Amino acid sequence: MQMTQTLQPGQILARGVCRHLRGHDFVTVEELVPVRGLRVDVMALGPKSEIWVIECKSSRADYMADGKWQGYLEWCDRFFWAVDAEFPTELLPDQTGLILADGYDAEIIRMAPEARLAPARRKAVMQKFARHAALRLQSLRDPGPAQLLIRGI
């Protein structure tokens, strides 16, 4: 039996972002929890160990409801917003990156400024990234207990 999953608008944007970044030799994970209370939409790891966080916003209301985004800055080298072509981009802070995306691809419109992580923080983030990716892979084979760990339960 095959299960079909309906993606939410933000998940559709994330798919396009992940596809695009893969073309730049980045690997990605979605919905990673760097610390209790924060969950990034997409975290990307580049070929030179650079760490990017991408928050996907599907509407003005979705963006306005996000009061936690500045807390993500301490968990990445670069921070981006990913939005669709209809999103009012003038709402987004100039000191952040901007990616236009749809369910199939994306384009980096504005590169985010770089704020390199301290080595100890980079190590901790990379370990979280690796564990998250491994748990996701394991859950494909055994969808039982691993799902609880991915969600941080």
Side-chain angles (χ1 to χ4, degrees):
M1 172 165 63
Q2 182 175 349
M3 289 180 26
T4 60
Q5 177 185 5
T6 304
L7 297 178
Q8 298 298 314
Q11 292 172 314
I12 292 169
L13 293 173
R15 182 175 64 187
V17 167
C18 293
R19 286 179 176 181
H20 180 76
L21 292 177
R22 186 65 192 112
H24 292 283
D25 203 19
F26 278 74
V27 293
T28 57
V29 293
E30 296 178 40
E31 299 181 357
L32 184 135
V33 177
V35 66
R36 188 178 209 96
L38 295 179
R39 186 182 75 212
V40 301
D41 292 330
V42 177
M43 184 172 278
L45 176 61
K48 297 178 183 174
S49 298
E50 56 267 53
I51 297 169
W52 293 3
V53 165
I54 302 94
E55 276 300 292
C56 301
K57 296 299 169 196
S58 58
S59 68
R60 177 188 185 101
D62 186 17
Y63 171 74
M64 298 305 279
D66 187 343
K68 297 187 283 186
W69 73 269
Q70 291 177 327
Y72 300 138
L73 300 177
E74 64 187 85
W75 299 97
C76 61
D77 297 315
R78 295 183 193 267
F79 178 85
F80 294 83
W81 299 103
V83 298
D84 67 18
E86 305 300 316
F87 188 92
T89 58
E90 65 275 4
L91 294 175
L92 303 173
D94 289 335
Q95 73 276 15
T96 57
L98 174 60
I99 299 173
L100 285 184
D102 60 25
Y104 302 99
D105 202 0
E107 180 180 355
I108 298 173
I109 302 299
R110 180 175 65 226
M111 182 57 72
E114 184 176 52
R116 299 286 293 170
L117 291 173
R121 175 60 58 94
R122 179 173 309 284
K123 179 181 177 183
V125 172
M126 291 184 76
Q127 286 176 333
K128 281 192 176 278
F129 187 100
R131 288 187 50 78
H132 184 84
L135 286 168
R136 283 280 167 95
L137 183 59
Q138 181 182 2
S139 73
L140 290 174
R141 291 208 178 221
D142 180 7
Q147 288 297 328
L148 299 176
L149 292 174
I150 289 171
R151 292 189 182 106
I153 298 172

